[in-house]
Amino acid sequence: MSAVQQVRTLPVIRGFLTVLVLLVPFGTVQAHEVRPAIADLTTPDGRVSLVLRMSMEPVLAGIDLEGVEDTNETDRSDAVDQLRALSADAFKARIEAETGDVLDRVTIRVGATDVPLRVTEIQVDEIPDVSLPRESRLFLAGTLPDGAQALSVGWPSEYGTLILRQMDVDDGFTGYLTGGYSDPIAIEDSSGWGFLGGIFR
């Protein structure tokens, strides 16, 4: 089976993935259970934005999540529990210290060119019960090359599974990635200029 499993934008499949995301919110599973990360992709006005929603504790604990369903099955489960016990502010600081590593692994590519990304915001939920998983949100942004018509998103297999959703277009791309790069995702022109915009910009 390929490392990257692509799901095209058929309405039934896109709807199924959306329902899957909604039916398994973070608060309904146990803290040690691994669930897919979610990335919402938008490309407004020559920029690219990727909002990652995921459990960051296993990542910072150094667990390779490929094929893992339960972090208690790994030898780093104690490290995950220690990170989960941190307050939201303290854990946010831990994430901030590791953003360079995240940006080395989560990538966006136009053709053969990597788009430089930066972390613009980090949000971490407070959890009243450490037996429940905690969602963290990383907001990544970058500037697309002039004339870019498509991009691919790269996802590391050690971060587990990713549900990738293109949010700013009708019938946008939805993909299920387990590692590697997605197929090219079309960038729709939101300026209204279309072909003429590429001439006069």
Side-chain angles (χ1 to χ4, degrees):
M1 183 178 295
S2 171
V4 180
Q5 301 180 12
Q6 295 306 327
V7 180
R8 287 301 184 185
T9 57
L10 296 175
V12 172
I13 297 176
R14 183 177 174 86
F16 170 77
L17 286 177
T18 301
V19 170
L20 177 65
V21 171
L22 293 175
L23 285 179
V24 192
F26 269 81
T28 64
V29 297
Q30 295 300 307
H32 54 271
E33 296 175 12
V34 177
R35 73 190 301 274
I38 302 166
D40 291 338
L41 173 73
T42 56
T43 53
D45 302 323
R47 295 174 287 111
V48 61
S49 171
L50 194 67
V51 180
L52 298 177
R53 296 166 49 199
M54 58 190 296
S55 176
M56 285 294 294
E57 283 88 352
V59 171
L60 297 191
I63 296 177
D64 185 342
L65 292 175
E66 184 176 11
V68 174
E69 297 181 357
D70 188 322
T71 57
N72 278 350
E73 299 172 355
T74 72
D75 59 2
R76 301 290 296 164
S77 60
D78 288 345
V80 172
D81 292 340
Q82 292 171 6
L83 290 169
R84 188 168 290 113
L86 296 176
S87 68
D89 288 341
F91 188 57
K92 178 180 177 181
R94 289 293 300 272
I95 297 175
E96 290 172 341
E98 301 292 337
T99 54
D101 186 61
V102 173
L103 293 178
D104 285 341
R105 298 169 185 267
V106 179
T107 54
I108 290 178
R109 180 173 293 175
V110 174
T113 302
D114 287 339
V115 176
L117 297 175
R118 64 188 184 281
V119 177
T120 61
E121 185 178 358
I122 297 172
Q123 298 176 353
V124 176
D125 288 345
E126 288 282 6
I127 49 173
D129 185 348
V130 295
S131 69
L132 298 176
R134 168 164 53 190
E135 180 179 280
S136 299
R137 292 171 293 280
L138 281 70
F139 295 73
L140 312 184
T143 301
L144 294 169
D146 290 340
Q149 297 182 340
L151 60 81
S152 297
V153 175
W155 181 255
S157 60
E158 58 267 33
Y159 282 10
T161 300
L162 175 72
I163 296 174
L164 173 63
R165 310 182 298 184
Q166 187 180 17
M167 303 300 291
D168 56 348
V169 298
D170 293 332
D171 297 324
F173 177 95
T174 295
Y176 180 81
L177 279 67
T178 56
Y181 278 92
S182 69
D183 281 343
I185 301 170
I187 301 170
E188 291 200 4
D189 182 12
S190 60
S191 67
W193 283 86
F195 171 73
L196 290 177
I199 297 176
F200 292 106
R201 248 191 304 227

